[in-house]
Amino acid sequence: MDESTITVPTADGIELQVYRFAPQGRPRAVVQVQHGLGEHAGRYRRFAGALAGAGYLVYAPDARGSGRTAQGRYGQWGPDSWLGWIDDVDRVRQRIREDEPDLPLALFGHSLGSFATQQYLLDHSADVDAVVLSGTAEAGSISGMLDSPEPADLSAFNAGFEQRTGFEWLSRDEAEVDRYVADEGCGFESEAFRGMGTLAAAADPERLRELRPDLPILLVSGDADPLADGGRAIEVVGERYREAGLTDVTVTIYPEARHELLNETNRDEVTAEILAFLDRTVGSGR
């Protein structure tokens, strides 16, 4: 796998730092990875290695206020705040299309990246060829939780789990939790989002019916993820897409798995399912 970095400018003057992980030989397709809140794209290097090993080219931006893009100012979302997050997804996608105009494109979003993806699809379902949502939930309830003048408090998610670090809700793998805690680019406090109320549109049946019906979507979650409500919140999202007319929607719930499936004890199983989905959709030459 060949790793490099490119930059993509945002509408409000931020330079997104984007990892590019390339396979040997001509790629089968491109996977755009959108990470979650309080983390960065460098944490997806292992996943990118698996994708590149299977012939996929990966673009993984450090989102605004995160990773190298933040330049030490973690959790500062910039003038465009949440709507900037959504627009940034498209700016990275446009750069991918400039670099690789002939390759199919899959969008992978985890946690906050999955909510940005849900909202992004309302206006851009024709611009991507497949979607994977990880650690996601029903957009209406999340919008209400995050649309607050106060920064999001994620500590409540650890209720019901062991309290060794306060981040046990992320994974059953203690070594992965310890890496998260030791990483200065993770778990940081952030300013409140502005414009987060617009995310509620991603739960609107009328808006969802505007999505193109042949867009393949895979939703993966652990039933012990506090966002998933035992898996019920994920089933709701999947059913809404089906009711909107989408014909290729798959929901997989992993028993006892927590929020970060790619860092869970069963991560190889999860990665294998995602690869099988990509092989069936964008990797098939479609």
Side-chain angles (χ1 to χ4, degrees), residues 110-272:
H110 171 69
S111 195
L112 193 66
S114 80
F115 302 126
T117 299
Q118 287 191 44
Q119 186 167 344
Y120 177 75
L121 291 177
L122 297 177
D123 297 309
H124 295 278
S125 67
D127 294 328
V128 297
D129 300 296
V131 174
V132 181
L133 300 176
S134 165
T136 198
E138 193 274 321
S141 61
I142 292 296
S143 173
M145 183 183 78
L146 295 178
D147 187 23
S148 165
E150 300 297 325
D153 180 8
L154 305 183
S155 62
F157 288 150
N158 215 57
F161 296 104
E162 57 270 32
Q163 297 295 319
R164 187 175 62 88
T165 69
F167 292 99
E168 279 62 44
W169 65 282
L170 297 177
S171 174
R172 293 167 291 180
D173 188 328
E174 291 189 357
E176 292 294 337
V177 173
D178 288 344
R179 289 189 188 96
Y180 180 92
V181 173
D183 189 336
E184 70 171 11
C186 292
F188 50 80
E189 293 184 1
S190 63
E191 65 183 11
F193 282 107
R194 300 178 302 282
M196 180 59 75
T198 59
L199 175 59
D204 181 348
E206 293 296 326
R207 293 299 312 278
L208 290 174
R209 277 193 280 272
E210 298 172 7
L211 272 62
R212 63 183 181 90
D214 63 340
L215 178 65
I217 297 183
L218 170 65
L219 298 97
V220 291
S221 177
D223 69 2
D225 182 345
L227 275 69
D229 189 24
R232 289 177 289 275
I234 317 305
E235 296 289 359
V236 166
V237 178
E239 190 56 32
R240 281 183 179 162
Y241 283 131
R242 295 187 190 103
E243 290 176 350
L246 276 70
T247 58
D248 187 352
V249 179
T250 303
V251 176
T252 301
I253 309 296
Y254 295 96
E256 300 182 13
R258 302 180 187 179
H259 185 60
E260 290 192 345
L261 287 176
L262 296 180
N263 294 321
E264 256 289 5
T265 55
N266 65 323
R267 54 183 169 262
D268 291 345
E269 175 188 16
V270 176
T271 300

